[in-house]
Amino acid sequence: MTRLRSAQAVIQAVLRDTNLLLTGKRVAIAGDAPPGLAARLRAMGAHPGSPIGEADLVFGEAVQPSEVKAGAIVAGNVRRGGPGGGHGGGQGGGHGGGLGTGAERIAWARRFMPVLGALAGDLRLDGARIGLVLVLEPKTAVLALTLRDAGAEVTVHCPGRETDDDVAAALAREGVGVLAKRGTTRAEDDDLARRMLDQGLDLLVDDGSRVIRLAHAEDRLGPIRGAAEETTSGLRPLRVMRERGELRVPVMAVNDARSKVLFDNVYGTGQSCVMAALDLTGLELDGAVVAVAGYGHVGQGVARYAAALGADVVVSEVEPFAALRAHHDGHRVLPLVRACAEADLVFSATGIAHTITAGHLAAMRPGTYVAVAGGVRDEVELPAPGHVTVLADGECVNCAAAEGNPVEIMDLSLSVQALAVEHLLHHDLPPAVHLLPEALDERVARLKLAALGLDLDRATEQQRAFLGSGL
């Protein structure tokens, strides 16, 4: 690290090399640092100023291994594989090339997934045939292996645009069925999904409800007893199917679990989408204008991390309460076409098709970048005019052009998935969209607190009596 690199650049580098979450990290800055590094780290939710020997993450040149605690990350010296754990130096815009083999990156992710590790020994999935339709990268590979070790027969499928071939190969070597290959077309993806469905699955874990809807449309449900859905955009059509009487299996709304939606959608998607866009563009956000279409959980996260890096964030909304929240969070609120006219970088964070239309693209200045954080087809109208660059071909930028959400965040989300799968297997639920039982959701949160070494207060007897008094 030298003074020639900006605070944003050194933060980008360590997050690209590690795929870890910055929020909550104790950080030490040793020696010279770029101007504003501590302020940027603090704005992103980290805790700069920690002693080197107590820090989770250390920025500084010539830091000796003996100075840092076991397991600490030293920026610029990340190794995910080999004897020390992997080799850093990834270039972004891909799926981890240069950061270790697929197996090494799976091992790296497992190291930062204590909640799923704590649950693993209690899962009982003997003989269940489970299809996983998730972004195929190291964290989801850990889930696949965890379900396999709990007794399930696991097959993984993923669209080609979101498949990491090295990770897929590592899973195949472990005996997990893999129906995914980088670069396949949408038609080929659908054919692979049909092959998975025709295996006679018991349970399906979906992302965007693409495969569960395909199974309904083509009468390929077979023996499927239930499904778990990961995303807001995936649950929306399933709830419509339920209202129309078309949903034929129970679906666990994994996205709606508090252990998922409050952290994955805000902190995970927020950090990873902003960083992926910056890795692809080289854009410095200090003083740049970032427009965010949609201020749900994902939009809030994107706005949070863009603002933390110095951007002037402009939010566009159709929902009055979300617009008011953006205003009270300190962002400007404008109609999208006006926001696009000012922006250097535009994020669609709605998860709704046709959010950014040809009219919005035409209003943008030459050199404007557009990124999708919501993640449904046609969220941005393509092809874009020549003066605008749409990143990752309009796919969700953190999944199509990077390694997805940070590891610690996905530990929470994938733990919810594991518990949802087990709950579906052992309970006969009617066809509907079901919430994860509160006790299971809370179990994930409490395990995460324990892993972080954080303690909770307990309500006193007098407080419980007051709450029960009706006053």
Side-chain angles (χ1 to χ4, degrees):
M1 184 176 67
T2 72
R3 287 188 178 276
L4 297 178
R5 302 181 71 192
S6 69
Q8 175 186 305
V10 297
I11 291 171
Q12 270 182 256
V14 74
L15 297 182
R16 181 174 59 242
D17 289 350
T18 62
N19 194 218
L20 296 180
L21 181 71
L22 189 54
T23 301
K25 289 282 188 294
R26 293 168 294 181
V27 180
I29 301 174
D32 290 342
L37 177 59
R40 294 281 181 251
L41 291 168
R42 191 173 293 109
M44 294 180 74
H47 304 291
S50 299
I52 291 179
E54 299 176 10
D56 306 303
L57 171 62
V58 180
F59 290 90
E61 297 174 346
V63 175
Q64 299 301 313
S66 59
E67 297 181 79
V68 303
K69 70 177 184 179
I73 305 298
V74 179
N77 191 32
V78 176
R79 300 189 61 81
R80 293 204 206 179
H87 184 67
Q91 298 302 309
H95 282 76
L99 295 175
T101 67
E104 288 166 344
R105 289 188 290 126
I106 293 170
W108 171 271
R110 192 188 293 273
R111 170 182 162 188
F112 298 96
M113 299 177 72
V115 179
L116 188 58
L119 293 172
D122 296 332
L123 295 173
R124 295 294 178 263
L125 303 173
D126 294 343
R129 291 185 173 184
I130 300 175
L132 291 186
V133 187
L134 299 172
V135 177
L136 209 172
E137 41 86 7
K139 289 95 67 183
T140 55
V142 174
L143 174 64
L145 294 171
T146 299
L147 299 182
R148 179 208 64 180
D149 293 345
E153 180 182 328
V154 180
T155 300
V156 177
H157 164 63
C158 178
R161 63 188 182 277
E162 297 176 349
T163 294
D164 184 318
D165 282 340
D166 290 341
V167 174
L171 279 180
R173 287 192 294 270
E174 289 285 337
V176 174
V178 177
L179 292 171
K181 183 176 177 59
R182 184 78 177 171
T184 51
T185 65
R186 287 180 174 176
E188 290 168 335
D189 291 338
D190 287 344
D191 285 341
L192 290 170
R194 293 183 183 101
R195 285 177 55 188
M196 182 182 68
L197 291 169
D198 290 345
Q199 293 178 356
L201 302 176
D202 297 301
L203 299 167
L204 180 64
V205 176
D206 210 349
D207 183 343
S209 68
R210 179 178 67 90
V211 177
I212 192 64
R213 286 182 284 157
L214 178 69
H216 278 77
E218 299 186 357
D219 198 23
R220 291 177 182 266
L221 283 169
I224 290 178
R225 298 169 55 181
E229 170 52 42
E230 172 86 0
T231 65
T232 305
S233 55
L235 286 172
R236 188 184 302 118
L238 294 177
R239 289 192 163 110
V240 172
M241 290 173 65
R242 167 59 176 164
E243 291 171 2
R244 294 174 177 171
E246 299 170 356
L247 189 65
R248 292 157 51 193
V249 296
V251 176
M252 296 299 299
V254 168
N255 179 77
D256 293 354
R258 288 186 292 174
S259 292
K260 196 274 185 186
V261 70
L262 296 179
F263 307 102
D264 183 316
N265 298 31
V266 179
Y267 304 98
T269 307
Q271 175 184 297
S272 61
C273 284
V274 170
M275 291 300 152
L278 298 183
D279 284 340
L280 290 173
T281 64
L283 184 66
E284 281 281 338
L285 285 191
D286 190 13
V289 176
V290 174
V292 181
Y295 204 66
H297 287 105
V298 169
Q300 291 166 33
V302 169
R304 170 193 175 96
Y305 285 97
L309 291 172
D312 173 14
V313 175
V314 186
V315 171
S316 301
E317 255 295 350
V318 299
E319 202 276 324
F321 299 102
L324 277 175
R325 178 163 189 172
H327 168 77
H328 284 84
D329 284 345
H331 307 305
R332 291 191 291 139
V333 178
L334 289 174
L336 184 54
V337 70
R338 289 174 55 192
C340 287
E342 296 186 26
D344 300 289
L345 172 61
V346 179
F347 281 96
S348 179
T350 64
I352 298 172
H354 316 299
T355 293
I356 296 180
T357 66
H360 297 120
L361 294 167
M364 295 177 191
R365 297 177 298 163
T368 301
Y369 296 102
V370 179
V372 171
V376 299
R377 289 183 181 180
D378 303 318
E379 202 161 329
V380 176
E381 186 171 342
L382 297 176
H387 70 286
V388 173
T389 301
V390 178
L391 304 178
D393 297 320
E395 305 292 346
C396 199
V397 68
N398 62 335
C399 297
E403 283 192 284
N405 285 355
V407 180
E408 303 97 324
I409 287 292
M410 293 307 294
D411 186 29
L412 292 169
S413 299
L414 298 178
S415 294
V416 172
Q417 287 281 23
L419 291 175
V421 163
E422 186 179 47
H423 187 75
L424 283 166
L425 187 64
H426 295 293
H427 294 81
D428 187 15
L429 301 176
V433 177
H434 299 269
L435 296 178
L436 188 74
E438 178 77 16
L440 298 181
D441 199 358
E442 187 172 303
R443 183 182 179 190
V444 172
R446 289 184 179 276
L447 284 171
K448 180 63 174 180
L449 288 170
L452 292 170
L454 302 178
D455 296 323
L456 286 174
D457 279 331
R458 294 177 180 272
T460 65
E461 187 174 326
Q462 293 91 334
Q463 289 170 331
R464 289 194 294 271
F466 175 82
L467 291 171
S469 68
L471 297 177

